[in-house]
């Protein structure tokens, strides 16, 4: 249906430093980055909420020099929410609503990230329909 982003998807690895991922947030204008393993499969997600958590739990700036893997180990694990590109619009909407998340990472059959669909993407799509 043309909803979401499927080009220039920003990813990071568990070995990347928090500071570098913060730069990715700014440069790519995103609020979350999928963390991918060496084989390209999604293993975790690092979001702006993780930054808020790190700021609250680490009084100094030390967390900025931690790897993503080290930083994510400081908090409880959150499930990774994904969908496939061929899933129905209804299923994607239900998944977003029931999980109460802001985005789904779109993966292929090997769990490699190929896109992202956000709540904003859905609203923009629906608004465009209303204007027609």
């Amino acid at each position: 249906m043309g909803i979401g982003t499927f080009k220039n998807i920003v990813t990071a690895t568990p070995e990347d430093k928090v500071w570098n991922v913060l730069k990715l947030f700014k440069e790519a204008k995103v609020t979350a980055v999928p963390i991918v393993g060496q084989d390209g499969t999604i293993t975790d997600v690092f979001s702006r909420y993780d930054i808020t958590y790190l700021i609250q739990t680490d009084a100094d700036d030390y967390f900025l020099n931690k790897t993503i893997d080290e930083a994510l180990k400081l908090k409880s694990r959150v499930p990774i929410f994904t969908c496939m590109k061929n899933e129905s619009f209804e299923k994607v909407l239900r998944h977003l609503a029931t999980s109460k998340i802001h985005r789904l990472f779109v993966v292929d059959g090997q769990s490699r990230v190929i896109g992202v669909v956000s709540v904003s993407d859905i609203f923009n799509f629906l608004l465009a329909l209303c204007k027609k």
Side-chain angles (χ1 to χ4, degrees), residues 18 21-22 25 31-35 44-58 63-64 66-80 103 105:
V18 170
V21 176
L22 287 177
F25 283 3
T31 59
V33 173
I35 307 304
D44 216 326
V45 176
F46 191 78
S47 73
R48 66 179 178 186
Y49 299 107
D50 295 318
I51 296 299
T52 302
Y53 178 82
L54 290 171
I55 290 169
Q56 291 173 350
T57 58
D58 195 345
F63 71 87
L64 292 172
K66 289 184 185 287
T67 65
I68 293 297
D69 190 47
E70 292 169 329
L72 288 173
K73 285 180 181 174
L74 296 174
K75 66 179 196 71
S76 58
R77 299 278 303 183
V78 176
I80 304 166
R103 75 200 59 78
F105 288 100

Side-chain angles (χ1 to χ4, degrees), residues 72-116:
L72 288 173
K73 285 180 181 174
L74 296 174
K75 66 179 196 71
S76 58
R77 299 278 303 183
V78 176
I80 304 166
F81 295 99
T82 62
C83 67
M84 304 285 284
K85 193 172 184 177
N86 62 351
E87 288 186 36
S88 71
F89 183 64
E90 178 185 358
K91 187 171 182 180
V92 169
L93 281 176
R94 286 183 190 275
H95 200 49
L96 286 167
T98 57
S99 61
K100 299 179 182 173
I101 56 168
H102 296 110
R103 75 200 59 78
L104 290 173
F105 288 100
V106 183
V107 295
D108 64 12
Q110 286 77 45
S111 296
R112 292 181 300 234
V113 179
I114 59 170
V116 61

